Amino acid sequence: MSALLAADLAPFPVPSIEYSAISPLIAIFGAAVLGVLVEALLPRTARRPVQLVLTFGALAVAFGLVIWQRDTRATVLEGAVTIDGPTLFLQGTIIALAFVAALVMAERRVDVAGDDFAPRASALPGSDYERDLTRLGWLQTEVWPLLLFSIGGMVLFPASGDLLTMFIALEVLSLPLYLLTGMARRRRLLSQEASLKYFVLGAFSSALFLYGVALLYGFAGTVSLSGIAEALTDDAQQYGLVLGGTALVAIGLLFKIGASPFHQWTPDVYQGAPTSVTGFMAACTKVAAFGALLKVLFVALGGVRWDWAPMLWVIAVLTMVVGSIVAITQTDMKRMLAYSAVAQAGFVLVGVVAASPDGMAGTLVYLVAYGFASVGAFAVVTLVRDATGEATHLSQWAGLGKRSPLVAGVFALFLLAFAGIPLTSGFIGKFAVFTAGVASGAVALVVIAVVASAIAAFFYIRVILLMFFHDPAPDGPAVVVPSSMTTIAIAVTVAVTIVVGVIPQPLLALISDAGVFVR
Amino acid sequence: MTSLATVAAQGADLVAPAAPDGVFSLVWLLIALPLAGAAILLVVGRRADRWGHLLGTLMPVASFIIALVMFAQLLGRPDEQRSVVQHLYDWMVVGTFRIPIAFQLDQLSMTFVLLITGVGSLIHIYSIGYMRGDPGRVRFFGELNLFVAAMLLLVLADNYLLLYFGWEGVGLASYLLIGFWFAKPVAAVAGNKAFVMNRVGDMGMSIAVMLLFVTFGAVGFGDVFAAVPQADETTLTWIGLALLFGACAKSAQFPLQAWLLDAMEGPTPVSALIHAATMVTAGVYLVARSNPIFDAAPAAATAVVVVGAITLLMGAIIGCAKDDIKKSLAGSTMSQIGYMVLAAGLGPVGYAFALFHLLTHGFFKATLFLGAGSVMHGMRDEVDMRRYGALRTVMMLTFVGFGAAYLAILGIPPFSGFFSKDKIIEAAFSQGIVIGLVTLVGAGITAFYMTRMIIMTFFGKARWDDDQHPHESPPVMTVPILVLALASTVGGIALAWNSSIESWLAPVVGFSEPHLAIPNWGLSLITLVVVLVGAFLGWAQYGRAPVPVTAPRGAWPTRAARADLYGDALNESLFMRPGQWLTRVLVFVENRLVDGLVNGTAATIGGISGRTRRWQTGFVRSYALSMLGGVVLVGATFLLVRL
């Protein structure tokens, strides 16, 4: 009997696990799990310091591990994860950005009531219970494990070797974000509505992504990225499945990127979420999603590039035009930055449309430049406050340059970087993607992009004008002096913005050393 | 003349640049000094009230002295060693593509450096007096220094990308300076307008840089010009047109000229700096520097000539109708820059003369603006010429300086304008009778509006109010005016002597002698007659009868010219209105249309009509519908590509 069984069953292959290659993931997810235990086991007052040590420790260790693994080029976990140069670069960028964004999230001095999050997410907005908790100074420390899970998903996202892993990474990074969005201390109804919207639309896009995965599986008989690429080379049949699958997978990712017409959640969510979370989302989600998009398009679907490039061309134009024009009419700082993020996503797409190694390098440069400026800009937004919380109406920023020249100057620097003014990091990014676009023959797209960036420059400059050339309102907001957490975060982002602008060579060399994705 | 003959009738030869030894290792310092001045003054701010203006003046003066030493050294070298490149560090290296931070000092950039730092220094000195008592004087000097530094970076860059940085820097500095009195709404609007129009031009520049990069795989002047002969003419034409578009915005040429007239809202020394030594000359520099590209792309060069010709006449006509002395001078600048652009478009016959006129114009236009500033200073900032009159007695020194510059811009021998403008008219006639006539008529109109200006300001009856007490300005202002007036008087003959300006510039921009059907002196005589007729008409209209204090309504050409020949109206209908319309439509689609669609559908299906209270702009369902629309769009593009 037992002999029969042994004969019938093929020997179960023991999956080999290359722990070193996935060590950054292990560090982050491990700390996240520990964080959950901390919530369950430690007394309330001890949780915050322990969570902070865990979070920053895990991120620092993970960053070190990425550097340690810098020469790894491998397909591990039976093909579920591929580690290569661009992937490691993206992982490092995400972790570094997350570290800086988490510093802003840990800030506890700018809001008199505590940090950026509701004292307890389950308390009804405006209820006596909530008021009591606020008075007692309760803090919702679950945000830290949530943050770590989300970062873990982001770090896994561009490393995925097959579409199912990618889908899981997508969900792991998204679900905590939906929660974090809904946990703002101030204007909680707005925050919760944003959270719900983000969740419903995110679920919709996930469904589209999953359907796309199913279609590609139907075509190739595998979900592995390299397997799909192989199937494309030797089989000219059933292109309907490939095209449908490509379109739907791309849409799922374009949603996360915030490309038009899948961008409409961005203004609502960026406005509703706690500002420190917005900064984290704006930077890290975008980097992770672009990384995944590059990976799918370049590794799995390179064979049908002449089909997806025109589609992305259209999306890029739409994204740039809608983002930069609609931003002009915004009156809320966070919404304006949200539309600005949409426009920036369009500029990055120019590099993806180029579909060349130069285009990919340009995309990575742009993501670094945009990511740091974005975290910095949202960090500055957290500092400008009046009695009701952050003062986000544009009119409240009038004359800020006269009250706090330093803070306004820093914000102006980020805006100039967004506008792509030379000697800021933004110029390097724009130059890199636009030249790659022209070199690949997409001259018309680049001309549109240049026009759109001129329009975008208009609303960035307008804010600078407002801050420096208008008289401050008598009852205007004040700039709060933050603790060293936010100060360090802003200093780092300023430094990156300037250094990458003036001495871009080390970053460019790093990216060119990273090479291309492995199959 | 021997050196002229060797390069006659051909483009410039490309010579390998010399190493930056001796004083030339300080090329970077030319830019760094004013830049440091700007940084210090803008950071320290009001705390530097006592010494800020002195530091701010010292910086460009120091740069000017270094530049003079370099100039003397270059003069002592043979032609082929007069180009020096100082390489600081590699800014970007991608594969074989290299963008260094490097400066090129050759005959062309040396000329500009001397003009910028020389005239710039005098304007700084003058500003000490002009801005006395202004609470923002330190900021003013900081921004002036920034302007000078950006302009020097523009002309010293050894590649198009670095030039572009200077280009943007000049735009930024001019924006700050034009809007210097930002509390005045007109000044803030004028600053905005200058910035927006310059950004429009910058788009042309950035497209040109990218096309250069893609076509030649390099953006360095040396690499690009060496590869031009192998490039395709169509590409070169597009590059040339994109460069021209950028030049049009900076140099206030048609169709991007409108900002210059409003830019008069800045303090007068700024106007002098923008008009005489910096900013507007950048376009001429760009065309002259890119001469191998324009020589190889005749269509683009023709476009340059046409733009120059249109602007030349437009500026002159606008200058005739303005009662505001600064706006009239602004029209004059447009017109004179038009001369230079036209000459630069003519190719090797014109480059040297374009730059020659740029220098003499730098002298006399700075004199005119500083003179106008001096008049305003004594008249409590009154700018309406109809309220001036008879000022020659109370402002003797200003009048002498202004008068010399007047004779120079008219082109009366032996004043400087005669030599440079005459040469441009010669070159224009040698290339075509129509272009020649345009330059000739332009000279006549110039004489008319300048005569009008000088009569209305300095002659006739005093028309100012009783409580005005006009007075001469302090020496710190009049001395710079007189120095510049001296340059306007003798600068032309000094540079034209023995064709020294042509032979100096020929190795960079090339040179060929214009050939005319009639002798050169004949054309000079005709030009002089036309100028005198223009001046006589000006006297006949404004000198014989008293000038009314309120402007008469005037015939339609006068009214059109007063309205800047409808330049603003054109911009509004061509760019602004469609832009606003597009914005409205997009915002409407974002906020309403999709909702409306959903609501309509919902109403028919389920009869849900009550719109619930809206927290924000939209419903999740409408967003989801838009995403679905996106899915259809993506699907459609795939199908279209496949078909």
Side-chain angles (χ1 to χ4, degrees), chain A residues 78-171:
Chain A
E78 302 293 314
V81 170
T82 54
I83 303 290
D84 47 31
T87 303
L88 285 163
F89 181 83
L90 285 162
Q91 290 183 328
T93 308
I94 293 166
I95 295 168
L97 283 170
F99 192 97
V100 180
L103 282 172
V104 184
M105 234 180 260
E107 176 64 54
R108 213 164 50 161
R109 196 184 292 168
V110 295
D111 195 326
V112 285
D115 58 11
D116 217 1
F117 301 93
R120 177 161 276 196
S122 55
L124 271 179
S127 63
D128 291 338
Y129 181 46
E130 187 193 32
R131 253 192 302 282
D132 290 343
L133 292 176
T134 306
R135 193 165 40 76
L136 290 169
W138 278 42
L139 296 174
Q140 184 89 48
T141 44
E142 278 91 347
V143 295
W144 298 105
L146 283 173
L147 178 72
L148 279 175
F149 275 118
S150 181
I151 297 169
M154 290 172 184
V155 172
L156 176 61
F157 208 21
S160 316
D162 64 52
L163 288 169
L164 270 184
T165 311
M166 193 173 270
F167 179 72
I168 290 164
L170 174 68
E171 292 305 299

Side-chain angles (χ1 to χ4, degrees), chain A residues 212-280:
Chain A
V213 173
L215 291 180
L216 286 177
Y217 178 76
F219 163 77
T222 171
V223 288
S224 133
L225 297 180
S226 51
I228 295 169
E230 243 162 65
L232 273 173
T233 53
D234 53 37
D235 189 354
Q237 303 294 309
Q238 291 184 306
Y239 262 110
L241 287 178
V242 182
L243 298 187
T246 306
L248 291 175
V249 166
I251 287 167
L253 296 171
L254 287 169
F255 172 84
K256 283 286 164 217
I257 286 162
S260 184
F262 316 105
H263 69 283
Q264 277 158 318
W265 59 276
T266 29
D268 289 3
V269 172
Y270 279 27
Q271 186 186 20
T275 306
S276 53
V277 174
T278 309
F280 168 69

